[in-house]
Amino acid sequence: DGGITQSPKYLFRKEGQNVTLSCEQNLNHDAMYWYRQDPGQGLRLIYYSQIVNDFQKGDIAEGYSVSREKKESFPLTVTSAQKNPTAFYLCASRSSGTGPNEQYFGPGTRLTVT
Amino acid sequence: AQSVAQPEDQVNVAEGNPLTVKCTYSVSGNPYLFWYVQYPNRGLQFLLKYITGDNLVKGSYGFEAEFNKSQTSFHLKKPSALVSDSALYFCAVRGRKATTGSYQLTFGKGTKLSVIP
């Protein structure tokens, strides 16, 4: 998990509340990603950013929002519009050098909404 | 669109025996393939990748993977399993998204490996 921090590790919220998950990296990576992990479904891409002040929707962006104001930070907001927000959320980053470089993952945040 | 299949939800192997975790893929263009491991309540850790060249790729912790283009497979292997290898393993393929033209990873659903003492 080195170089990428996510906080908090566990997060509990009431239905109808927005919540923001933090992701910070000190790897000097240009690209950052947010994934959602549900049991038996693997990882699904929510949003990604290849450069500061720019981001794109992934496969399941509805009900989520992001910002990328600094290279090191890529916070994810889970809005009240997300119908099933309870999940394990993983942030990742990748160097944008030449070649298909691997992504490095943070330790994850487990969000429970009741 | 690219896809990854991990046909086994769970693999059980005795400690000291060889292990194989299967992965098949579908992607347009050159396949760039990755294996990651996840321990409970942790993030994913990179094990190895295939970009080009030798079909047998060596990675971390004694793992290796064999790329087979004709069978579109990228199976993960280890000659002698350890109890500490018990974890969830993900195969992923890098492909270009048709709508945006950007590259993204597509993951399989994961295979739970249990190494029995």
Side-chain angles (χ1 to χ4, degrees):
Chain A
D1 303 338
I4 303 178
T5 57
Q6 291 185 244
S7 60
K9 188 171 178 66
Y10 299 95
L11 190 54
F12 298 88
R13 280 292 182 270
K14 294 290 187 185
E15 200 172 303
Q17 293 179 335
N18 291 354
V19 60
T20 297
L21 282 59
S22 168
C23 177
E24 304 278 332
Q25 55 101 357
N26 62 4
L27 300 169
N28 199 34
H29 287 170
D30 290 312
M32 296 187 74
Y33 306 82
W34 274 106
Y35 293 91
R36 171 182 172 137
Q37 184 179 14
D38 296 283
Q41 293 197 46
L43 276 68
R44 292 182 289 169
L45 182 64
I46 305 173
Y47 267 99
Y48 62 101
S49 167
Q50 294 179 309
I51 197 168
V52 174
N53 292 323
D54 187 47
F55 48 83
Q56 287 81 39
K57 293 181 179 179
D59 299 319
I60 56 164
E62 186 175 349
Y64 299 97
S65 66
V66 294
S67 63
R68 186 86 187 276
E69 297 176 0
K70 298 186 299 181
K71 188 175 185 178
E72 312 81 60
S73 178
F74 191 40
L76 172 75
T77 297
V78 184
T79 75
S80 56
Q82 168 50 231
K83 296 190 187 327
N84 296 298
T86 294
F88 191 50
Y89 290 88
L90 288 160
C91 178
S93 71
R94 183 181 66 85
S95 169
S96 294
T98 55
N101 298 319
E102 59 273 16
Q103 294 181 15
Y104 291 88
F105 284 80
T109 291
R110 187 168 297 280
L111 173 64
T112 302
V113 177
T114 58
Chain B
Q2 62 268 18
S3 65
V4 173
Q6 294 182 240
E8 300 155 318
D9 291 337
Q10 174 141 3
V11 170
N12 297 321
V13 63
E15 186 177 22
N17 282 3
L19 70 87
T20 299
V21 182
K22 296 180 180 176
C23 171
T24 59
Y25 67 90
S26 173
V27 68
S28 299
N30 293 325
Y32 300 126
L33 298 155
F34 303 79
W35 274 103
Y36 288 84
V37 60
Q38 184 181 36
Y39 296 97
N41 293 310
R42 302 288 298 277
L44 276 65
Q45 295 178 30
F46 169 74
L47 281 178
L48 50 80
K49 65 182 177 183
Y50 172 82
I51 305 302
T52 186
D54 195 346
N55 290 342
L56 186 64
V57 179
K58 293 191 184 297
S60 306
Y61 313 119
F63 283 94
E64 56 191 27
E66 187 169 12
F67 171 68
N68 187 315
K69 187 172 184 178
S70 62
Q71 297 185 5
T72 61
S73 67
F74 189 54
H75 300 332
L76 182 69
K77 301 184 179 192
K78 188 174 183 182
S80 178
L82 300 173
V83 173
S84 57
D85 292 330
S86 298
L88 189 57
Y89 290 81
F90 289 97
C91 181
V93 65
R94 180 177 180 258
R96 182 171 286 211
K97 191 173 179 181
T99 51
T100 64
S102 60
Y103 288 99
Q104 66 181 59
L105 280 184
T106 298
F107 287 84
K109 294 186 176 182
T111 298
K112 183 179 180 181
L113 173 68
S114 293
V115 181
I116 303 159

